[in-house]
Amino acid sequence: MKTYTIGFWMDPIATIKPYKDTSFALMLAAQALGHRVMYVPKNGLSLIDGQPYARMAPVTVVDQTENFATVGEETLAALTTLDVVMIRVDPPFDGEYLYATQILERAQTLGVRVVNDPRSVRDCNEKLFATAFSEWMPKTLVSSRHEDIKAFQQSLGDVILKPLDGMGGSGIFRITADGLNLGAVLETLSPGQSRLVMAQQYRPEIKDGDRRVLVLNGQPVNHVLARIPSQGETRGNLAAGGRGVALPISDKERTIAEAVAPFLKSRGLLFVGLDVIGGHLTEINVTSPTCIREIDAQTGSDIASDFFTALFDH
């Protein structure tokens, strides 16, 4: 089997939680398959005379909670010394993230395989992109105008409001039928009507979990992670205290994933997480989707190995 050099452009490796970190799972799998693993720090990208370079270091990983990564000597090298770059820096997608995708796209034009495609990562905001598949979504409005959002809430009663650049459940508010605190929430999310906000019909099925459906190399994974909110919460995100339970993918979730998958694959979005509540698509996560460690631990699967095997077979 041919071996490849795979660079992981990611947040500081010393800060990850290996028992639940998807980037770590991908590193473990790549290493086990015989590939060379390189750590590329978030601030390691550069251009020299128009050519893409990166600070990078070889890394060896061990599946344990302490001393889990041994990072070698860091060197400055052309990104073309890598066969693949995995984009694994967490949102928010800010200006620095934008510039990084432009450097990574330069490497892509020189033959480096970048997952996910950096242009698509730029184009496909994780909340706005989902609206391209509105037939699968709850009723949704995107606007910065307070009066529009208030009218939407009055028509539906119970709604969720969230910023377009949030992650891990940050900045998400539930407004119930009485509209209590709606004005204050709008002033927080869109001060002076200056920022776009996504408003969605509240789905009571959230009590059974915000389900992460992974679509890898254009194929849905057979298990999902239901992220069940903690007591008194409306957010199922694990970062917000949700509890993750692996479950077989439902027929409706598979239908949604198979409807979206061709569009994802055609845009080079090969490692994607769909968020589904009660059979309704709410977001499409393309920057650094998570949850494979939790699914693997509960089902005995090896999703990361399956991903790389399929990636290099095509």
Side-chain angles (χ1 to χ4, degrees):
M1 181 183 70
K2 183 176 179 181
T3 60
Y4 297 89
T5 302
I6 305 174
F8 287 80
W9 178 63
M10 59 186 288
D11 296 296
I13 194 168
T15 67
I16 67 172
K17 296 179 174 61
Y19 67 92
K20 70 174 189 174
D21 191 272
T22 290
S23 300
F24 183 70
L26 288 163
M27 287 179 158
L28 281 170
Q31 178 179 273
L33 291 168
H35 304 303
R36 188 178 187 219
V37 178
M38 302 293 288
Y39 166 58
V40 180
K42 179 180 179 180
N43 64 354
L45 301 178
S46 60
L47 289 171
I48 301 175
D49 295 329
Q51 298 303 302
Y53 279 75
R55 294 278 175 182
M56 59 182 77
V59 60
T60 302
V61 287
V62 181
D63 194 2
Q64 56 194 34
T65 56
E66 301 290 337
N67 303 315
F68 52 83
T70 301
V71 181
E73 182 180 356
E74 182 179 277
T75 59
L76 177 65
L79 276 172
T80 51
T81 61
L82 302 175
D83 297 300
V84 178
V85 174
M86 296 293 299
I87 294 181
R88 294 299 307 171
V89 169
D90 286 340
F93 190 92
D94 55 13
E96 291 302 311
Y97 214 127
L98 168 69
Y99 308 142
T101 63
Q102 291 171 336
I103 294 174
L104 291 169
E105 187 176 9
R106 192 76 58 87
Q108 185 175 250
T109 64
L110 296 173
V112 180
R113 194 169 191 181
V114 183
V115 180
N116 285 316
D117 183 284
R119 176 176 292 184
S120 294
V121 170
R122 284 201 304 273
D123 290 347
C124 300
N125 172 274
E126 303 192 321
K127 295 175 178 63
L128 288 179
F129 184 34
T131 64
F133 308 96
S134 59
E135 66 271 29
W136 301 110
M137 296 184 72
K139 291 185 180 299
T140 299
L141 168 74
V142 177
S143 177
S144 60
R145 304 288 295 186
H146 292 187
E147 65 267 32
D148 295 343
I149 298 170
K150 288 177 179 178
F152 181 83
Q153 184 272 328
Q154 289 168 6
S155 70
L156 293 177
D158 208 343
V159 299
I160 293 292
L161 303 183
K162 50 190 172 182
L164 296 184
D165 59 355
M167 66 162 287
S170 63
I172 294 179
F173 296 89
R174 178 184 177 187
I175 303 296
T176 53
D178 58 16
L180 190 65
N181 293 325
L182 177 55
V185 169
L186 290 175
E187 289 169 11
T188 299
L189 294 178
S190 183
Q193 305 186 114
S194 62
R195 296 177 64 84
L196 288 167
V197 175
M198 175 171 278
Q200 286 183 330
Q201 182 182 31
Y202 173 75
R203 300 301 312 182
E205 301 95 332
I206 184 63
K207 70 181 187 303
D208 300 318
D210 178 354
R211 293 158 75 107
R212 168 57 55 84
V213 181
L214 292 169
V215 182
L216 309 184
N217 294 301
Q219 296 294 323
V221 171
N222 288 329
H223 284 84
V224 306
L225 192 73
R227 297 164 297 177
I228 300 170
S230 57
Q231 186 69 32
E233 265 286 357
T234 59
R235 301 171 298 170
N237 309 74
L238 301 183
R243 174 172 57 91
V245 178
L247 298 168
I249 189 171
S250 71
D251 290 343
K252 182 66 175 292
E253 289 158 351
R254 187 177 293 279
T255 297
I256 293 171
E258 290 177 347
V260 174
F263 297 90
L264 301 177
K265 196 163 186 180
S266 70
R267 301 195 68 159
L269 295 168
L270 304 181
F271 198 100
V272 175
L274 311 181
D275 289 348
V276 178
I277 301 174
H280 293 78
L281 176 68
T282 61
E283 295 184 17
I284 300 178
N285 298 272
V286 303
T287 47
S288 60
T290 61
C291 295
I292 68 174
R293 287 290 267 177
E294 293 88 349
I295 295 172
D296 282 349
Q298 295 179 45
T299 67
S301 57
D302 190 352
I303 295 169
S305 290
D306 293 342
F307 169 75
F308 281 123
T309 299
L311 181 71
F312 294 128
D313 280 347
H314 294 84

